[in-house]
Structure formats: C-alpha cells, structure tokens
Amino acid sequence: QVQLVESGGGLVQTGGSLRLSCAVSGRTFSRYNLGWFRQAPGKEREFVAGIGWRGGSAVYVESVKGRFTISRDNAKNTVYLQMNSLKAEDTAVYYCAATSSAVSVVRPLYNYWGQGTQVTVSS
C-alpha cells in the first residue's frame, strides 16, 4: 500500500507562484512513477505533469508548459510541483498520484491517489 499526502495549496493572485508537495509513504517510493492531476469544479480530472522514477522523463500538459515544473526527491520520498505565472484557469484541486506503469497521462493507470489540495488563483 502507498499513501500520498499533498500540501502547499492556497490562495494566490494571478501571476503568483505556489509550490505543491506530495509526501509518499508505504512501498518503495523510487519504484513508482508519479503524476500531478487537477480537477476544477464541474470538469473532469486532468493530467498536469508526470515524472519517471529516476527523476527524468518529465511530461506536461500543453497548458502548463514553461510555467510548471515537476521534480522529485527520492531521499525525501517527496514529489513537487512548482507553479509559476499562475492563471485563473489553474484554479482546481490538485492531486498527486503514483503508478507502477510508465509515466502516463491516462488517469486509470495510476494506482494510488492523495486527497488533494486546493489551489485558487484570483484575478
């Protein structure tokens, strides 16, 4: 079993920055590829970014490229999402997730999920 706990969400103005963290416990952290998803009110949960177990092979949805950066620290069992130049449309609950498959944008391939952290960007 793997447990994921997100933190770092909050209220920020347009153009601001936030850094989300996801602490992972349970089975060997480094064996899992990790992803961040988000879900805005009334919308489907969508892939935001993913990273391979070695820290490479980062993948991003087009709308966040150049603004968000995913990283991981295997020594701390933590994955991060640095979010810069935030926009109102980034407002959502952000979830981290772990998969034993390859890094993917496909939500059902992720085996474990956190409870989410709210990010609100005000204009």
Side-chain angles (χ1 to χ4, degrees):
Q1 192 72 8
V2 175
Q3 294 82 40
L4 302 96
V5 179
E6 304 94 336
S7 62
L11 175 64
V12 64
Q13 290 186 333
T14 300
S17 298
L18 281 174
R19 187 195 197 200
L20 304 183
S21 299
C22 176
V24 183
S25 60
R27 293 187 178 178
T28 307
F29 173 79
S30 61
R31 293 181 181 176
Y32 289 90
N33 297 313
L34 299 168
W36 285 96
F37 288 72
R38 66 186 179 186
Q39 188 167 18
K43 294 188 177 182
E44 294 287 322
R45 191 173 299 187
E46 66 168 351
F47 173 84
V48 176
I51 189 166
W53 68 274
R54 293 184 177 180
S57 304
V59 178
Y60 299 93
V61 67
E62 190 65 33
S63 60
V64 308
K65 284 182 180 179
R67 300 189 298 122
F68 290 12
T69 302
I70 187 171
S71 61
R72 65 188 291 165
D73 185 337
N74 286 349
K76 295 182 178 180
N77 288 4
T78 302
V79 60
Y80 305 97
L81 185 67
Q82 177 66 44
M83 306 186 295
N84 299 328
S85 302
L86 283 161
K87 305 176 181 179
E89 51 263 43
D90 295 318
T91 295
V93 177
Y94 283 71
Y95 300 88
C96 67
T99 178
S100 53
S101 302
V103 174
S104 173
V105 304
V106 179
R107 186 179 63 189
L109 292 180
Y110 286 79
N111 312 91
Y112 303 100
W113 292 84
Q115 294 300 306
T117 186
Q118 177 70 47
V119 172
T120 303
V121 184
S122 64
S123 56

